[in-house]
Amino acid sequence: MELIHLIYCSAITADELSKQELDVILDQSRINNDQAEITGMLLYDSGSFFQVLEGDQKMVEAVYEKIVKDTRHQNVTKLIMEPIEERAFGHWSMGYPRVTKKELTEIEGLNDFFVSGKSFMQLEQGRAKTLLNAFQQGKWRV
């Protein structure tokens, strides 16, 4: 088994997701990911997603392809796909840390990005890794 993580961002096709709609997505993702032995985390803010998927390369790629075809997503953009030695979110079938825009602006290396009102859709690979590292080690893991 080749362990990888795949990080992508996407925009929703609706104007905004309600808390209930997001909860349905999270519940279904957790069930599907658990069955596929995929772990990871999801962030949602202002109509865009940032997601990390970890697991066997074939399983992660299969889940990603479903996401690409999901009509609730648009502009799905793969930021990073690379081998990893161990899972960063091994205890989360799909973690969803509730983080505020203010907290995002406090992440070193991202403060100027989120202060200027940019969304996850505008992240490039370097800042995606900065965000990933913040969540691997940050207070949101509790």
Side-chain angles (χ1 to χ4, degrees):
M1 172 173 88
E2 184 176 358
L3 189 62
I4 68 162
H5 66 197
L6 186 151
I7 302 170
Y8 78 90
C9 60
S10 68
I12 61 169
T13 53
D15 289 336
E16 188 66 41
L17 283 179
S18 69
K19 181 186 179 322
Q20 293 77 18
E21 291 169 314
L22 187 56
D23 287 343
V24 168
I25 290 171
L26 287 167
D27 290 343
Q28 192 59 56
S29 295
R30 289 175 176 141
I31 292 167
N32 294 341
N33 290 353
D34 191 48
Q35 292 171 352
E37 298 181 4
I38 291 176
T39 55
M41 71 114 176
L42 175 72
L43 297 177
Y44 174 75
D45 181 63
S46 303
S48 66
F49 288 107
F50 174 89
Q51 185 166 20
V52 179
L53 300 170
E54 307 170 318
D56 176 70
Q57 182 173 354
K58 290 180 182 175
M59 299 302 281
V60 169
E61 287 176 343
V63 168
Y64 179 72
E65 287 306 314
K66 285 183 183 178
I67 291 165
V68 168
K69 294 175 183 173
D70 187 327
T71 58
R72 295 173 293 189
H73 294 268
Q74 62 185 351
N75 302 325
V76 181
T77 305
K78 187 187 305 181
L79 299 171
I80 300 169
M81 186 174 87
E82 62 189 7
I84 55 174
E85 291 186 27
E86 63 182 6
R87 295 172 191 255
F89 304 102
H91 298 293
W92 289 355
S93 60
M94 184 47 55
Y96 181 69
R98 299 197 188 276
V99 60
T100 66
K101 187 76 94 174
K102 181 180 182 319
E103 289 172 312
L104 289 172
T105 66
E106 294 169 356
I107 298 172
E108 187 174 332
L110 291 176
N111 49 355
D112 62 326
F113 182 83
F114 287 108
V115 165
S116 65
K118 295 184 178 175
S119 76
F120 296 127
M121 289 300 301
Q122 295 162 305
L123 282 172
E124 79 286 339
Q125 190 176 40
R127 288 186 188 211
K129 283 209 173 206
T130 299
L131 186 56
L132 171 65
N133 290 334
F135 278 86
Q136 284 176 308
Q137 302 166 10
K139 65 183 178 182
W140 302 280
R141 293 186 58 84
V142 294

